[in-house]
Amino acid sequence: MVFPEGAIGANVFPKDLADFLNDYYHDKGVELVPSDLVAGLEKKDKAFTIRTKNGQAFETDAVVAGLGIRPNVEWARAAGLKIENGIVVDDHLQTSANDVYAAGDVAMFHHSGLGRYTRVEHEDNAVWMGKLAGRNMAGAGETYTHIPMFYSDLFELGYEAVGELNSKLETVSDWQEPFKKGVVYYLENGRVRGVLLWNVWEKVDAARALMMEPGPFKNKDLIAKIK
């Protein structure tokens, strides 16, 4: 597993959780190559040779690449729609052109939980946004206020989350069992901007509600806030 950060999820998880994941994956038999990048890929017969920027080489039977996306907005730009980090939409998901709507990964919208414009590249956002855009194209006139969630599984561990998971933000970790079950809160100027529900289930709505509270919150205010 080759990745540019020093630990798995270092950009999104607190350092102690990211470091734990390195050990956790290693114990599962995964060979980690942190702080490196894939520089070359060659296929010979049925095997692949991976070469990294730092000069390492590996042979493997298959390759899975997690590369993220870049939104395809050139057609929208050519049509004269307002483009920033995606196709800009208003709170009804209408673009800068009348009767043209955008939804899903390409849409830059006002996130009610974050209080700013952003794009969200996750299933829940695409489903809710797509349905509302369709209703508004039929004349519903509804406002998009949904706070999208996202999720992942890591062997026996799993999480659901809302908002911005950014390890550069202030974080408050409330563990029921260290690194196995708990909640991590991400704060900016005393307001909750993200919630990571680590092996804690059916609490997404509580996390959404917390993001809408103005605060300000201190660390002690968040202990056992969601459990």
Side-chain angles (χ1 to χ4, degrees), residues 1-226:
M1 184 174 174
V2 183
F3 51 95
E5 297 81 20
I8 296 171
N11 291 332
V12 294
F13 301 135
K15 185 179 185 305
D16 56 356
L17 178 54
D19 289 341
F20 161 80
L21 287 175
N22 274 15
D23 294 335
Y24 180 70
Y25 269 59
H26 180 268
D27 291 344
K28 294 293 184 180
V30 180
E31 182 180 350
L32 301 181
V33 186
S35 304
D36 207 346
L37 294 168
V38 174
L41 172 65
E42 300 175 3
K43 183 178 181 182
K44 184 176 181 180
D45 297 325
K46 295 183 178 181
F48 295 90
T49 299
I50 308 294
R51 302 188 185 281
T52 75
K53 185 177 180 180
N54 290 340
Q56 299 191 65
F58 311 95
E59 287 194 359
T60 182
D61 297 325
V63 177
V64 177
L67 302 176
I69 73 164
R70 292 180 181 174
N72 182 357
V73 297
E74 293 311 311
W75 63 272
R77 193 188 308 276
L81 303 185
K82 183 178 180 180
I83 305 296
E84 291 182 11
N85 178 27
I87 302 171
V88 178
V89 297
D90 64 14
D91 59 1
H92 289 73
L93 306 184
Q94 183 171 259
T95 69
S96 57
N98 289 334
D99 301 325
V100 179
Y101 293 76
D105 293 5
V106 300
M108 187 172 182
F109 67 101
H110 187 270
H111 192 298
S112 59
L114 297 177
R116 58 177 171 79
Y117 276 79
T118 189
R119 280 192 313 108
V120 174
E121 300 170 5
H122 295 288
E123 174 193 15
D124 183 60
N125 183 61
V127 170
W128 281 77
M129 187 179 278
K131 289 179 178 179
L132 189 137
R135 291 196 297 270
N136 283 352
M137 284 189 281
E142 297 175 6
T143 300
Y144 189 67
T145 59
H146 179 66
I147 297 178
M149 61 86 72
F150 51 100
Y151 58 91
S152 189
D153 294 310
L154 305 89
F155 295 102
E156 292 88 1
L157 301 175
Y159 69 82
E160 295 177 332
V162 295
E164 181 180 5
L165 303 193
N166 184 339
S167 59
K168 293 181 180 179
L169 294 176
E170 178 186 359
T171 59
V172 178
S173 299
D174 182 18
W175 294 110
Q176 299 178 41
E177 182 181 355
F179 312 125
K180 297 295 181 68
K181 184 177 183 179
V183 181
V184 179
Y185 303 92
Y186 295 73
L187 292 92
E188 184 178 44
N189 298 322
R191 183 157 183 173
V192 175
R193 292 305 190 187
V195 181
L196 171 66
L197 303 165
W198 192 264
N199 264 13
V200 173
W201 309 106
E202 300 181 359
K203 296 296 182 179
V204 169
D205 285 342
R208 288 178 171 133
L210 184 59
M211 288 190 66
M212 297 303 295
E213 293 188 27
F217 291 99
K218 296 182 180 179
N219 290 14
K220 63 181 179 62
D221 299 327
L222 297 171
I223 301 302
K225 188 74 171 178
I226 298 176

